[in-house]
Amino acid sequence: MRNIFLLSVFSIALITASCSTARKTANQKEGYTLTDKRWILTELEGKEVPGTINGKVPYIIFHKKDSSYSATAGCNGMGGTFNREDDKHIKFKLGPSTLMACQNMEFEQGLAEALKTTEQFNINGNTLTLLSNNNTSLAKFRTQTLDDVAQQLNGTWELTYISGPRITFEALYPSARPTITFALPGETAHGSGSCNNYNAGFKIDGNSILFSGVISTKKGCPGSGESTYFSILKTVTGYSVSGNILSLLHDEVTVMRFEKKN
């Protein structure tokens, strides 16, 4: 009888521990949905936020790698760090930002104030809500959709900056600059490497983008500009769009910058 009792107690303890572990794992996974994705700002203190402000989509990204965040509300780039104590509590430390004066500055000021006073957060499906200590909604966001990405990326972009080469940009591309054209929901980009035309497959996941299978025509071209462009394109891991400027990144460092042509 005593052995049966001990076995029952052990079984109950094992089941309880398993449930606790499952809950902890589930909470961790839910918490991780906060980071490394683009959240589009939709509401500040209960008031709707426009889809674009001064031509820019307002957003925030939480970077898991270093617990930093980057954001914009249509004017200046904002950034800083965040401390997520658990899957409910979060605090922000505002860092320096650019200091441009723009129209509709009330949205930027409202987002900065919301971040300063946030104590809690809640993720419900595709909605992130930042909350005060008494559960007042300060700001709401939704996850970026494929339509959002298409609105940002679709069209033709012309290269204006590339990292790496010691030769000047003008000497690298004396007659024609590389271009890239996106047409989402398609997953193939095309353009000119400055001499040959090319196609390249790409995959987007949140704020990351990876290019693969670069295929170009085989015309002989002078200089190293085109080979440099194709080589660096293969190293790209992320992207950022601000108005008519597209930045392609490697580990959050800009390696190429483009200007929207159409």
Side-chain angles (χ1 to χ4, degrees):
M1 178 68 72
R2 183 172 181 274
N3 289 340
I4 294 174
F5 174 75
L6 290 175
L7 181 61
S8 299
V9 171
F10 176 76
S11 299
I12 292 170
L14 184 61
I15 292 171
T16 302
S18 299
C19 291
S20 176
T21 300
R23 284 195 299 270
K24 184 177 180 182
T25 301
N27 287 339
Q28 287 176 340
K29 288 181 179 178
E30 179 63 20
Y32 288 152
T33 63
L34 178 71
T35 56
D36 295 333
K37 63 171 64 176
R38 187 181 296 259
W39 294 93
I40 308 300
L41 180 65
T42 60
E43 188 178 296
L44 282 170
E45 293 189 332
K47 297 179 181 179
E48 185 177 352
V49 172
T52 59
I53 304 170
N54 301 325
K56 299 179 181 180
V57 176
Y59 70 87
I60 189 168
I61 300 173
F62 301 86
H63 305 288
K64 181 180 175 182
K65 181 178 179 180
D66 57 2
S67 294
S68 67
Y69 71 89
S70 52
T72 185
C75 185
N76 291 285
M78 304 167 62
T81 58
F82 68 94
N83 179 27
R84 190 182 67 203
E85 300 174 5
D86 50 37
D87 290 326
K88 180 179 178 181
H89 297 91
I90 190 170
K91 289 187 178 180
F92 294 89
K93 182 177 180 180
L94 274 65
S97 69
T98 53
L99 299 174
M100 295 185 297
C102 308
Q103 294 181 330
N104 306 304
M105 288 292 289
E106 66 272 16
F107 295 107
E108 182 173 303
Q109 295 161 355
L111 179 57
E113 186 62 28
L115 294 177
K116 282 193 289 186
T117 54
T118 292
E119 297 281 345
Q120 303 179 68
F121 76 101
N122 174 263
I123 296 174
N124 185 7
N126 292 326
T127 301
L128 164 68
T129 306
L130 301 183
L131 304 158
S132 67
N133 200 40
N134 61 3
N135 286 320
T136 299
S137 175
L138 301 172
K140 283 189 177 182
F141 305 80
R142 61 171 174 80
T143 51
Q144 177 176 262
T145 66
L146 184 59
D147 287 342
D148 295 323
V149 177
Q151 182 179 349
Q152 288 184 309
L153 283 182
N154 281 357
T156 298
W157 304 80
E158 183 178 79
L159 188 72
T160 59
Y161 162 82
I162 191 165
S163 68
R166 295 181 179 179
I167 187 172
T168 65
F169 185 83
E170 289 72 19
L172 203 60
Y173 304 107
S175 56
R177 297 178 178 183
T179 63
I180 189 166
T181 299
F182 295 95
L184 281 82
E187 294 185 331
T188 301
H190 67 271
S192 167
S194 74
C195 178
N196 286 283
N197 295 325
Y198 73 93
N199 291 325
F202 67 91
K203 292 285 186 181
I204 290 178
D205 182 10
N207 198 45
S208 70
I209 185 169
L210 299 175
F211 293 92
S212 62
V214 178
I215 301 174
S216 70
T217 54
K218 302 298 182 182
K219 185 169 61 175
C221 307
S224 60
E226 183 164 273
S227 60
T228 299
Y229 174 73
F230 289 146
S231 176
I232 293 182
L233 187 66
K234 295 175 184 177
T235 71
V236 168
T237 58
Y239 77 97
S240 173
V241 179
S242 178
N244 66 339
I245 302 298
L246 165 65
S247 299
L248 295 184
L249 317 171
H250 175 76
D251 289 343
E252 300 182 14
V253 176
T254 298
V255 292
M256 289 195 281
R257 190 177 297 119
F258 298 78
E259 183 177 352
K260 188 75 170 285
K261 303 307 292 183
N262 60 55

